[in-house]
Amino acid sequence: MVKRKESSHPLGTPGKKARVDDEQEGRTSAVNGGSQSSTAEVGIIESISLKNFMCHAMLGPFQFGPNVNFVVGNNGSGKSAVLTALIVGLGGKAAITNRGTSIKGFVKDGQTSADVSIKLRNRGHDAFKPEVYGESIIVQQRLTTDGSRSYKLKSSSGSLVSTKKEELTAVLDHFNIQVDNPVSVLTQEMSKHFLQSKNENDKYKFFMKATQLDQMKDDYSYIMETKTRTHDQINFGVERLQELKRMCMEKEERFKSLASLGEMKEKLEDLKRRMAWAMVTETEKQILPFREQIAAEEGRTVKFELKINEWQDKVKDAQASFRALQEKLEDISSEAQTLKPQGIALKESMQQRKRAYHESEVLYNRFRMELKRLERDAEQLDRRIHELQNSADNVSEEEKMARLEEINQLKDKIKALHDQDITTSEQINQFQQALYRDKEERNNIVNAERDQKQKVDALKRQIKELQDSKTDRLRRFGQHVPALLAEIDEAYKQRRFRKKPIGPLGACIRLKDPQLALAVESCLKSLLQAFCCDNHQDERMLQSIMLKFCPHGHRPQIIVNEFRNEMYNVSRRAVVHPKYPTVLSALEIDSPVVANCLIDMRGIETVLLIESNSEAREVMQRRTPPANCREAFTAVGDQVYKNRYYSSEYNRARYLSRDVEVEIGHLEREVNDIIGQLSTIQHRVRSIDGDIRKNDVLLRQHHETKKRIQVTSVNYSKVVSSFTTV
């Protein structure tokens, strides 16, 4: 069964049919059929090969027979690509293939060029330049992504003969190959229209076009009009000729009547020379003031150039500062939310530290009392040591027993002092760790305070931008945008653009329902700030202009898409839902270029907008999504797929919101919240500073206590040694 018919017959050979069968199993192949008895000698397509053409990396080479050929294969195996390549490869326009509007659309995605090679038979007495090409003519064509094409015509031996399209046109005329004639090449759309049409007028028009009678009729009409105009010009010329003859006779008679014609001619030439020099003198007098003015202006130009350089340096510094601040602006919202629980934690930590400080103060008082007691014991021990040393010779047995008992008591005290020394060391370590934690916490809080201050500054700048946008909506997309657009207008007036770029795209669209602003912004994201160019040359010019105005690293996206005067027909692939709109239907877009750009880059005709999160999950995940629907966005900016759900990073619309006052109010409240947090943070810093000072004092006092304990322990040991000696 024949699914679709790609062509009526091969190019330039009437009576030979090419058929495409979608149900044939296997890869695309060319099947030769028919008798060899009536083989033609010229204009037969012997083979074709494709590289990076449409969606095929490599097809062919396909060898065709001299008579009827059938190209069969599965869907997507390359049958249509072969027919399209025949039309394009032989110089046909992209429009007549019904497969695209531009040559660059035939290049495979991800590649920079595509190649088509066609081999034509060139034999017999009707051959085209057989002494140059031989028995075959090889037509090679290269297509690039920038829309250009190049030709190479080679002989049967592979040697290059010509690179001009005129040579290819001569070959096609010689072989009577007409790629735009439906009798030579019958495309699928043309055949469908011919078979389905019931209008006799359409069939007659098809017949007139196929037999070229339509073109002959136009040529005949043009010839008759030209003939009529020529007759009119001849009649007018005859009348004018008679008048000129009469004038010539009058001039001749007048010339003869002039006796001194030669002398008058010489005088005339002399007067002409004098007049020329007089004009030169007068012109020099007029130029002199201008020269003086130019010299004066050149002197002033140097000063202006110095001022321009100075201001350019200032502008660069300001732009660098603006870029740095803008990068921090995006992180401020999330940090503000993060610091709220941190403030609560800081308050709790402050209460804990107060309790710990109170306990440390009690412990310090105990240590101070113990230290005084140890000092008194040390003094008593010193006196006791002197007494023992003085009375060593007169010691009785009872005194010895008493001293032994005292030695045992002193040993117990030494052991207790040793344990107390260990406890004091552990407490010193605890105070050191607490002091380290306090300092580390203080550094973290100081850093957070600095970040919050920077966030406040950024929010205040954003508030100022919104206030400026009350009179100029373009400032929402950046303070530099009005100046950038003015420069684009000036460049377009100077014809540096083929077609004026359009952007930012967010300024070219309007919402029908303001409640969907955040949903649309979450869908389009950076496309709202993007610009659209018709060609790559305009893109390069726009990039050079953006370098002067856009902050480094924040240049808007530039999309190259051929400008069209009408919007794409997306009725077959768009989502149709009785309750929820698509992004495309939710927007008012005056420019078809902007609409086509958003359709190409984001597929806005396939994205639904559903206000409720629960309804979005119901439509996209609990049921089968509507036909052609890829994803949906909720009113709070959440993104919903069939099996995934992503929460929005933003809580307010920035570019598409209509109520500027409400947006300014949100930002001002956010600034006030952060200022309140800063007050809490500063209070916490002062509290931590007090804790650090107190802990530092306690740490020094514990070190002194440890030294006193060690000194007392040494003194006790001396006493014990003295008792033993005695």
Side-chain angles (χ1 to χ4, degrees):
M1 176 180 177
V2 177
K3 288 287 185 182
R4 51 196 175 100
K5 193 170 182 181
E6 296 286 357
S7 63
S8 297
H9 57 77
L11 301 178
T13 311
K16 300 175 185 176
K17 305 293 182 181
R19 187 181 69 179
V20 178
D21 193 338
D22 285 343
E23 295 183 351
Q24 179 66 31
E25 293 293 336
R27 61 183 179 83
T28 302
S29 59
V31 183
N32 181 24
S35 174
Q36 300 292 334
S37 60
S38 59
T39 300
E41 296 297 329
V42 295
I44 298 299
I45 300 173
E46 294 185 343
S47 67
I48 184 172
S49 62
L50 316 176
K51 181 180 179 182
N52 296 329
F53 189 82
M54 293 177 73
C55 58
H56 304 282
M58 183 65 71
L59 276 180
F62 297 109
Q63 302 294 333
F64 294 104
N67 298 311
V68 177
N69 291 271
F70 296 86
V71 180
V72 297
N74 290 331
N75 289 338
S77 59
K79 304 182 297 299
S80 299
V82 171
L83 180 61
T84 303
L86 283 173
I87 298 173
V88 175
L90 293 178
K93 297 181 180 178
I96 65 175
T97 65
N98 292 316
R99 294 286 177 177
T101 59
S102 176
I103 293 298
K104 61 184 178 183
F106 297 121
V107 181
K108 187 176 183 294
D109 291 341
Q111 303 295 327
T112 58
S113 63
D115 296 305
V116 178
S117 180
I118 302 173
K119 188 176 182 181
L120 303 175
R121 181 173 294 179
N122 188 41
R123 303 175 186 172
H125 63 277
D126 287 334
F128 180 80
K129 298 181 182 179
E131 69 282 356
V132 177
Y133 289 98
E135 295 185 350
S136 299
I137 298 176
I138 301 173
V139 181
Q140 293 181 349
Q141 184 174 172
R142 167 161 290 189
L143 314 175
T144 60
T145 53
D146 59 0
S148 63
R149 53 169 32 165
S150 58
Y151 299 90
K152 288 184 180 180
L153 275 70
K154 297 183 178 180
S155 64
S156 57
S157 61
S159 59
L160 180 64
V161 177
S162 177
T163 59
K164 298 181 179 180
K165 186 179 180 181
E166 290 77 6
E167 183 75 5
L168 175 61
T169 303
V171 172
L172 298 179
D173 290 342
H174 186 82
F175 292 159
N176 195 24
I177 297 176
Q178 305 166 11
V179 293
D180 57 347
N181 193 328
V183 172
S184 293
V185 180
L186 184 61
T187 62
Q188 181 180 1
E189 294 296 329
M190 183 63 75
S191 63
K192 184 187 299 183
H193 177 72
F194 176 71
L195 293 174
Q196 293 179 355
S197 176
K198 297 180 181 181
N199 192 342
E200 296 297 333
N201 291 333
D202 293 341
K203 293 183 179 180
Y204 180 74
K205 291 178 181 178
F206 181 84
F207 166 76
M208 293 289 287
K209 184 176 181 180
T211 57
Q212 293 187 324
L213 290 176
D214 196 8
Q215 181 178 353
M216 292 176 64
K217 180 180 178 182
D218 294 340
D219 293 342
Y220 181 76
S221 299
Y222 176 75
I223 291 170
M224 294 303 296
E225 291 177 1
T226 304
K227 179 181 177 182
T228 302
R229 288 196 300 271
T230 304
H231 278 298
D232 293 340
Q233 291 176 356
I234 290 173
N235 294 332
F236 177 76
V238 170
E239 296 176 357
R240 180 61 178 165
L241 181 61
Q242 296 296 331
E243 184 179 354
L244 290 175
K245 286 182 177 180
R246 181 181 59 77
M247 292 174 64
C248 182
M249 296 296 294
E250 293 178 356
K251 297 295 182 183
E252 286 181 353
E253 293 177 357
R254 188 175 178 182
F255 178 76
K256 292 177 180 178
S257 64
L258 296 176
S260 57
L261 183 60
E263 183 180 353
M264 293 178 67
K265 283 184 177 180
E266 291 178 0
K267 186 180 291 187
L268 178 62
E269 292 297 328
D270 183 58
L271 291 173
K272 285 182 179 179
R273 289 191 292 270
R274 291 184 180 183
M275 183 178 68
W277 282 109
M279 292 177 65
V280 169
T281 303
E282 186 66 25
T283 304
E284 286 180 347
K285 291 179 181 179
Q286 295 175 357
I287 290 175
L288 184 58
F290 290 107
R291 286 180 176 175
E292 295 174 353
Q293 186 177 359
I294 289 172
E297 293 295 333
E298 286 177 349
R300 297 174 61 188
T301 301
V302 176
K303 297 180 181 179
F304 287 126
E305 288 178 351
L306 293 175
K307 287 186 178 180
I308 288 171
N309 293 332
E310 180 182 353
W311 281 107
Q312 284 178 345
D313 294 337
K314 291 182 180 179
V315 168
K316 290 180 181 178
D317 295 338
Q319 287 177 346
S321 301
F322 177 76
R323 287 193 295 269
L325 294 173
Q326 194 172 23
E327 290 174 357
K328 295 179 181 178
L329 177 61
E330 298 177 355
D331 302 330
I332 292 176
S333 298
S334 59
E335 291 178 1
Q337 298 298 326
T338 306
L339 288 175
K340 286 183 179 179
Q342 186 177 356
I344 298 173
L346 288 174
K347 290 181 180 179
E348 295 177 354
S349 177
M350 183 175 65
Q351 297 296 332
Q352 293 176 358
R353 290 192 177 277
K354 285 182 178 179
R355 290 193 295 270
Y357 172 71
H358 180 69
E359 294 173 357
S360 300
E361 195 171 13
V362 172
L363 186 61
Y364 168 69
N365 292 329
R366 291 178 182 176
F367 272 112
R368 189 169 58 182
M369 295 173 64
E370 182 68 20
L371 183 61
K372 290 180 179 179
R373 186 183 63 79
L374 290 173
E375 289 175 350
R376 290 194 299 270
D377 291 344
E379 292 175 356
Q380 293 175 0
L381 285 173
D382 288 337
R383 290 194 299 270
R384 185 60 176 163
I385 289 171
H386 289 297
E387 292 175 359
L388 288 173
Q389 289 175 350
N390 294 330
S391 62
D393 296 332
N394 302 316
V395 179
S396 64
E397 291 297 329
E398 294 179 357
E399 290 178 345
K400 288 182 179 180
M401 295 301 294
R403 289 177 180 178
L404 286 174
E405 185 178 355
E406 190 174 356
I407 288 172
N408 291 331
Q409 292 177 357
L410 289 174
K411 286 182 178 180
D412 292 338
K413 288 184 177 181
I414 290 172
K415 184 176 182 301
L417 287 172
H418 179 69
D419 294 339
Q420 188 177 358
D421 183 43
I422 294 174
T423 303
T424 305
S425 299
E426 292 177 353
Q427 290 176 346
I428 289 173
N429 290 332
Q430 291 176 359
F431 277 114
Q432 287 176 340
Q433 292 176 1
L435 190 61
Y436 174 76
R437 287 195 299 270
D438 286 340
K439 290 181 178 180
E440 185 177 7
E441 182 180 0
R442 186 185 187 282
N443 291 333
N444 293 334
I445 293 176
V446 169
N447 292 333
E449 180 184 14
R450 184 182 62 251
D451 294 341
Q452 290 294 80
K453 287 181 178 178
Q454 292 174 351
K455 181 177 179 180
V456 169
D457 293 339
L459 287 174
K460 288 181 178 178
R461 284 193 299 273
Q462 189 173 349
I463 290 172
K464 185 178 183 304
E465 290 176 359
L466 287 173
Q467 290 173 343
D468 293 340
S469 69
K470 292 179 183 179
T471 56
D472 189 352
R473 182 171 177 261
L474 292 173
R475 291 187 180 274
R476 278 200 179 190
F477 301 91
Q479 291 290 340
H480 61 279
V481 171
L484 173 61
L485 294 180
E487 183 69 16
I488 292 173
D489 290 339
E490 184 64 25
Y492 180 67
K493 291 178 182 178
Q494 297 173 1
R495 298 187 177 180
R496 287 189 282 166
F497 289 111
R498 294 183 184 175
K499 293 186 179 180
K500 182 180 176 182
I502 297 176
L505 299 183
C508 304
I509 61 178
R510 296 182 302 278
L511 284 171
K512 296 179 181 177
D513 185 0
Q515 300 296 327
L516 300 175
L518 182 55
V520 174
E521 280 199 20
S522 299
C523 174
L524 300 182
K525 294 182 178 178
S526 61
L527 287 175
L528 293 171
Q529 296 176 285
F531 283 74
C532 188
C533 287
D534 175 71
N535 54 78
H536 290 283
Q537 180 179 343
D538 288 352
E539 177 197 17
R540 290 189 290 270
M541 177 58 64
L542 181 58
Q543 285 178 350
S544 65
I545 294 176
M546 283 183 173
L547 289 176
K548 303 177 184 177
F549 297 95
C550 299
H552 179 68
H554 290 79
R555 180 178 65 80
Q557 181 182 2
I558 301 176
I559 302 165
V560 180
N561 194 15
E562 184 180 3
F563 288 3
R564 300 179 59 175
N565 295 326
E566 58 182 9
M567 193 181 81
Y568 297 147
N569 183 4
V570 295
S571 57
R572 294 185 178 180
R573 62 175 186 266
V575 183
V576 179
H577 197 280
K579 187 176 179 181
Y580 307 115
T582 63
V583 177
L584 177 61
S585 61
L587 295 175
E588 294 179 357
I589 309 175
D590 297 331
S591 172
V593 174
V594 175
N596 293 339
C597 183
L598 295 178
I599 290 171
D600 288 337
M601 299 300 296
R602 193 60 183 85
I604 58 175
E605 78 282 7
T606 64
V607 182
L608 281 179
L609 298 177
I610 305 174
E611 290 192 17
S612 170
N613 294 24
S614 58
E615 291 182 9
R617 289 183 182 274
E618 179 71 25
V619 172
M620 296 297 297
Q621 297 179 347
R622 297 188 181 93
R623 299 189 228 159
T624 302
N628 299 326
C629 182
R630 297 189 312 170
E631 57 188 302
F633 283 86
T634 68
V636 295
D638 294 350
Q639 189 175 16
V640 188
Y641 289 95
K642 183 178 180 180
N643 53 4
R644 301 189 305 279
Y645 190 100
Y646 299 104
S647 298
S648 175
E649 300 177 357
Y650 308 99
N651 53 12
R652 294 191 305 274
R654 179 177 178 183
Y655 301 110
L656 300 180
S657 175
R658 293 183 181 177
D659 197 340
V660 178
E661 294 294 342
V662 173
E663 185 70 16
I664 292 175
H666 284 306
L667 293 176
E668 288 177 344
R669 285 193 293 273
E670 190 171 346
V671 169
N672 293 332
D673 292 341
I674 296 175
I675 291 175
Q677 294 173 12
L678 284 174
S679 177
T680 303
I681 290 173
Q682 290 169 355
H683 179 72
R684 178 58 184 155
V685 169
R686 290 192 295 270
S687 176
I688 292 176
D689 287 340
D691 291 346
I692 290 174
R693 288 192 297 271
K694 292 176 182 178
N695 286 334
D696 194 24
V697 172
L698 289 173
L699 184 62
R700 289 196 299 270
Q701 292 173 350
H702 276 71
H703 277 296
E704 293 176 0
T705 302
K706 180 177 175 66
K707 290 179 182 179
R708 294 293 179 85
I709 290 172
Q710 291 174 349
V711 170
T712 304
S713 180
V714 170
N715 291 334
Y716 280 172
S717 298
K718 289 180 180 180
V719 173
V720 172
S721 177
S722 300
F723 278 140
T724 305
T725 304
V726 176

